[in-house]
Amino acid sequence: MSSQENKLSMSCIKNCTQAENKSLIIRSVVTACDAGTLTEEGDTGEIKIFEKNLLNNNTNYILVLVAFDKNNTLAVIYEQEDDFCMVSSVLGRYYEIVEVNFILDPISKNTLILLKEQVDMTTGIYETSDFLKGYLWNGSFYSQVVNTPFNIKAYWNNAWIDCSSQNKRWEKAMQNCNLTWNNIDKIILYLYRAQEYSISSVEESVNLPEDHTFQVVESRFVVETLSWSSKWNCFILYEGKYKSTGEAVAVIHNLNNYVYSLVEDVSPQYVICTSNNEHFVISQEELEIMQP
């Protein structure tokens, strides 16, 4: 990135709706994210600016979001240096960012950036999902420390997925999620997931049936507690031991708590994080949960 694209004036940031400034900001963000193809969109991106003291110092940081459409949002953090700001961290490329929260870590005094990303998918299934993605300073840049499903609404017809299926009814999986947190001793995120699996009474319909035709088959309410762990440098559910190696690991996802486990009976599985920061899936039989 050239020094010119790497640097923006604070006047440019504060007056981001002016055409020339908007063009400079978009060009800088696109270059920082190495998303050059988006320059073809011109200056049509929507810019959102968040100014925060993100780290435990007197430096001002600016989170800049540029949304080109519901499939392309770029997020970059700039660090203010006098009357200018320089690219500090690139968070990445997302679908639509529908919510941004900032949570102070009481130990490091650094701030967690919590993004809610909404994804619309159509791949043999009609699905709208929100993902909760969190970023915290690792000493060099902002790194992702949490990534978990939030709200989900999905419809599908098994006949579309498998032409030989005798089941031609429409099915629906839905999750409504709420989030609270506290940051007294450390950051703790509480996720409250209301989940339902439903089947429509309408048979062999090519078009998606009305919502009122779906009857609930299974439902439950799941509460998950994600705690920030400086030991594992991510948010974890709890610690455990990988039986095959005897290695201590952090459990970051209980896949049995996901809404799709209501749809089909599958063996409980977990996503674990190792001391080498490797993430992989293991079965319940392979995990020994450590008591706190």
Side-chain angles (χ1 to χ4, degrees):
M1 182 187 304
S2 71
S3 59
Q4 184 65 32
E5 291 170 326
N6 186 53
K7 181 191 295 186
L8 293 169
S9 71
M10 286 304 299
S11 174
C12 177
I13 291 287
K14 291 181 180 298
N15 297 282
C16 63
T17 57
Q18 294 181 5
E20 183 178 355
N21 293 338
K22 182 178 180 180
S23 178
L24 289 171
I25 294 170
I26 290 176
R27 190 178 305 125
S28 175
V29 168
V30 166
T31 304
C33 293
D34 193 22
T37 55
L38 290 179
T39 56
E40 298 171 5
E41 303 290 335
D43 297 333
T44 58
E46 178 187 352
I47 297 173
K48 291 184 179 179
I49 304 291
F50 303 85
E51 289 190 51
K52 287 287 178 180
N53 186 345
L54 295 175
L55 305 183
N56 186 20
N57 55 36
N58 296 321
T59 303
N60 189 43
Y61 291 84
I62 299 97
L63 169 61
V64 179
L65 302 181
V66 178
F68 294 93
D69 52 44
K70 291 191 175 185
N71 296 322
N72 292 286
T73 298
L74 305 179
V76 175
I77 298 173
Y78 291 80
E79 177 182 347
Q80 183 178 352
E81 298 179 3
D82 299 322
D83 294 329
F84 291 90
C85 57
M86 310 287 289
V87 172
S88 174
S89 286
V90 175
L91 295 190
R93 186 169 181 168
Y94 308 89
Y95 286 83
E96 182 180 12
I97 301 297
V98 295
E99 188 176 322
V100 180
N101 286 292
F102 300 91
I103 307 174
L104 180 68
D105 175 22
I107 304 301
S108 68
K109 303 301 181 183
N110 297 335
T111 297
L112 171 72
I113 302 173
L114 206 57
L115 306 178
K116 191 190 297 182
E117 177 188 28
Q118 188 170 94
V119 181
D120 287 320
M121 301 292 288
T122 308
T123 53
I125 185 171
Y126 295 109
E127 179 178 277
T128 302
S129 302
D130 293 345
F131 291 88
L132 199 65
K133 297 185 176 182
Y135 300 83
L136 202 57
W137 186 254
N138 67 4
S140 301
F141 55 88
Y142 263 81
S143 61
Q144 188 175 92
V145 293
V146 63
N147 182 5
T148 187
F150 206 69
N151 296 321
I152 296 172
K153 182 180 283 189
Y155 303 86
W156 67 94
N157 190 314
N158 281 314
W160 285 22
I161 300 170
D162 180 4
C163 296
S164 64
S165 174
Q166 297 303 306
N167 178 7
K168 301 185 185 303
R169 287 188 174 181
W170 284 87
E171 301 175 54
K172 177 174 72 170
M174 186 167 69
Q175 173 175 284
N176 290 320
C177 193
N178 286 313
L179 166 73
T180 62
W181 67 76
N182 75 51
N183 57 343
I184 298 173
D185 298 318
K186 60 181 177 180
I187 305 176
I188 302 178
L189 305 176
Y190 302 97
L191 297 174
Y192 309 93
R193 308 181 192 268
Q195 301 173 339
E196 290 183 350
Y197 166 51
S198 307
I199 299 177
S200 175
S201 58
V202 177
E203 296 188 36
E204 300 191 20
S205 171
V206 174
N207 299 316
L208 178 63
E210 297 289 337
D211 260 353
H212 67 80
T213 68
F214 287 84
Q215 284 83 45
V216 176
V217 176
E218 297 282 349
S219 66
R220 67 183 176 190
F221 188 75
V222 176
V223 180
E224 287 192 325
T225 302
L226 292 167
S227 301
W228 167 247
S229 171
S230 55
K231 172 183 175 181
W232 298 100
N233 197 37
C234 63
F235 281 83
I236 70 172
L237 291 169
Y238 36 76
E239 293 186 324
K241 184 168 70 173
Y242 189 21
K243 291 181 181 179
S244 65
T245 63
E247 178 186 7
V249 295
V251 178
I252 56 177
H253 297 291
N254 180 349
L255 299 182
N256 198 50
N257 286 341
Y258 284 11
V259 65
Y260 292 111
S261 67
L262 291 178
V263 178
E264 55 183 346
D265 188 20
V266 294
S267 300
Q269 292 183 314
Y270 302 86
V271 179
I272 61 170
C273 176
T274 69
S275 57
N276 295 325
N277 199 33
E278 296 176 323
H279 295 180
F280 55 94
V281 177
I282 65 172
S283 68
Q284 180 171 281
E285 290 74 21
E286 297 175 288
L287 176 69
E288 178 183 337
I289 297 174
M290 308 292 286
Q291 298 300 321

